[in-house]
Amino acid sequence: MSQTNDPRRELFRHANFRWIIGGGLLSMLGDQFTLLALPWLVMSLSKDPLVLGTVLALGSLPRAIFILVGGALVDRHSPKAVLLLTKWINFALLGLLAALTFSGNITLPLVYALTLAIGLATAFSYPAGSAILPQTVPAALIQPANGVLMGARQLVLLLGPVLAGLLVTAGNEPALSGQGLALAFGFDALSFAISAWTLSRVQVAPAEAKPAQPVFAAIAESLKSCWQDRELRALFMYFAAIAFFVGGPLQVALPVLAAERLPGGAAALGVMLAVHGLGALAGMAVSGMKPHWRLSTLGGTVLLIDGIAAGVFLVFGHVHAAWQGALLLLPLGALGGFVQVAVYSWLQKRIPPAMLGRSMALFMFIVMGLAPLASAAAGAALRVLDVTELFTAAAVCLLVVVAIGAVFTPMRRIAYLEATG
């Protein structure tokens, strides 16, 4: 395939991608409606914060437990088949939730059961969604496609809650416990049905016949394959360490900093998070539109960006105004968004198609599984350290991880994979 000066124009010429981005955007928007409406529903049924925390945990726990199983099934069957099935399952579950909420027959046990089932479906949809792109667009357009998809997801994360809030609170306050919530769940259900139809229009390259293999044997095979690939192993372990030392401070220390030091408190936190999100959106867009903007190697680019992040953390503990935090989080978000698209695209090109579902599930399992551990560790550290000391300690740890990655692992030699054909 010949290269084009504008990868976006070449990308949108492909009918497959137009179907994927159209249905995907609507489904992502629908998810924001449920994410906002579900806590309101739970709090209308019980004022106990523990109940709310339990419901939310039930939504994420099955994903962490079964995502590797989901990846194995994606590789056994096909990303499209698994993703299509999960969309129809979510349509049915959310439609039932909407109907029960609208009729007033919803109860906490039903909320628990439906949330658990929806969370279980995501354990299969996540690896399927990450594995379908290389089967539907040319290899040369994988990074631009990821840039558009991730940028669109980030934009929905910024705008979706606002639109969802307008719908949920439509009319008057009683709508929060009845029709408004039912409309939100119903919209999400409809979004799944429409995105299932658009996915059915996507043409997938014929897959090779695969011998049946037990699920756990398939998972073990992918673990062995990833471990034997030195560069893949180094990247997975490196990102596990980075996710731990970056995720904790951003999830826990940042709100504490806003509450203790910044005028405006929660409002200041909202401004900083919004700016960070805008930076991530810009970085994803640049990575997708300018895939050749980089250092000589992908690994070198990642190491440099994480070194810059460590410098930002060193300064962040001394922030005393929201605008100062925003100025630091804007480039941090942009660099993170840029490298996220590049690394994700590298994985999709590097991993053999027969193992893509399992290997991407493993990568997501590592990152998502460490998130609660990182938050818990940061919370525990704040019992003995103040916010400035925690950000400083995180910065030092990041620099150590970067140095180890550069000197003792193949990280800096990980090269971009150029598409051919």
Side-chain angles (χ1 to χ4, degrees):
M1 173 178 292
S2 62
Q3 298 291 330
T4 175
N5 292 329
D6 187 352
R8 292 173 302 171
R9 182 177 300 175
E10 182 71 18
L11 182 63
F12 281 95
R13 289 196 183 107
H14 287 270
N16 271 351
F17 185 76
R18 293 198 300 270
W19 287 119
I20 289 175
I21 188 67
L25 268 177
L26 184 60
S27 182
M28 285 185 277
L29 181 60
D31 289 344
Q32 297 305 304
F33 282 66
T34 293
L35 286 173
L36 186 140
L38 185 60
W40 279 111
L41 175 63
V42 174
M43 294 306 291
S44 72
L45 297 171
S46 170
K47 301 299 182 183
D48 187 351
L50 178 60
V51 173
L52 176 60
T54 305
V55 170
L56 296 179
L58 278 176
S60 58
L61 188 61
R63 182 175 61 215
I65 295 174
F66 290 101
I67 194 168
L68 292 178
V69 175
L73 291 180
V74 166
D75 288 338
R76 174 185 290 185
H77 301 286
S78 78
K80 179 180 175 180
V82 173
L83 190 57
L84 195 59
L85 179 60
T86 62
K87 285 183 180 294
W88 285 119
I89 290 174
N90 276 318
F91 163 72
L93 293 171
L94 285 160
L96 178 59
L97 181 58
L100 290 170
T101 303
F102 183 81
S103 64
N105 293 319
I106 191 67
T107 62
L108 273 177
L110 287 172
V111 172
Y112 279 127
L114 289 170
T115 303
L116 182 65
I118 292 169
L120 184 59
T122 63
F124 298 87
S125 64
Y126 274 33
S130 68
I132 194 172
L133 196 62
Q135 296 186 5
T136 54
V137 301
L141 297 179
I142 286 179
Q143 184 163 336
N146 277 321
V148 172
L149 287 169
M150 292 183 183
R153 183 181 299 114
Q154 190 67 30
L155 185 62
V156 169
L157 289 175
L158 291 171
L159 300 180
V162 177
L163 298 175
L166 291 175
L167 177 62
V168 169
T169 58
N172 49 37
E173 193 68 16
L176 289 175
S177 59
Q179 293 183 353
L181 296 176
L183 284 172
F185 296 131
F187 178 81
D188 197 9
L190 180 63
S191 75
F192 274 109
I194 295 175
S195 64
W197 176 76
T198 60
L199 180 61
S200 70
R201 310 288 294 177
V202 173
Q203 300 297 314
V204 179
E208 297 180 4
K210 306 170 190 175
Q213 187 178 20
V215 169
F216 290 105
I219 294 173
E221 181 187 35
S222 69
L223 291 173
K224 181 180 179 181
S225 176
C226 291
W227 183 260
Q228 290 176 339
D229 186 326
R230 291 184 69 246
E231 291 187 351
L232 197 60
R233 180 178 69 205
L235 188 73
F236 277 24
M237 297 177 68
Y238 178 84
F239 267 88
I242 293 298
F244 187 83
F245 292 116
V246 172
L250 288 181
Q251 291 293 324
V252 178
L254 192 59
V256 173
L257 174 70
E260 292 182 351
R261 298 186 184 178
L262 304 186
L269 176 63
V271 169
M272 291 190 296
L273 291 177
V275 170
H276 181 265
L278 289 172
L281 174 61
M284 291 170 180
V286 170
S287 188
M289 291 186 295
K290 303 292 183 181
H292 300 294
W293 283 15
R294 63 208 187 190
L295 297 180
S296 58
T297 66
L298 173 63
T301 304
V302 170
L303 292 167
L304 175 62
I305 286 175
D306 289 331
I308 295 172
V312 170
F313 271 29
L314 280 174
V315 179
F316 212 95
H318 303 279
V319 165
H320 288 87
W323 66 267
Q324 296 171 345
L327 282 180
L328 291 171
L329 286 174
L330 181 64
L332 187 64
L335 293 172
F338 182 90
V339 79
Q340 183 181 349
V341 172
V343 168
Y344 209 75
S345 302
W346 183 87
L347 290 171
Q348 290 174 326
K349 295 176 183 178
R350 172 77 175 217
I351 298 168
M355 289 194 177
L356 188 55
R358 284 167 286 174
S359 300
M360 294 301 291
L362 176 61
F363 184 68
M364 290 183 282
F365 175 79
I366 291 171
V367 174
M368 291 189 301
L370 283 174
L373 295 178
S375 297
L382 283 172
R383 302 183 74 174
V384 295
L385 303 174
D386 65 22
V387 174
T388 298
E389 291 169 338
L390 179 61
F391 274 113
T392 302
V396 172
C397 291
L398 275 176
L399 289 173
V400 170
V401 171
V402 169
I404 292 174
V407 176
F408 298 106
T409 77
M411 272 295 298
R412 59 190 175 89
R413 298 193 297 274
I414 294 177
Y416 285 88
L417 297 178
E418 302 295 347
T420 59

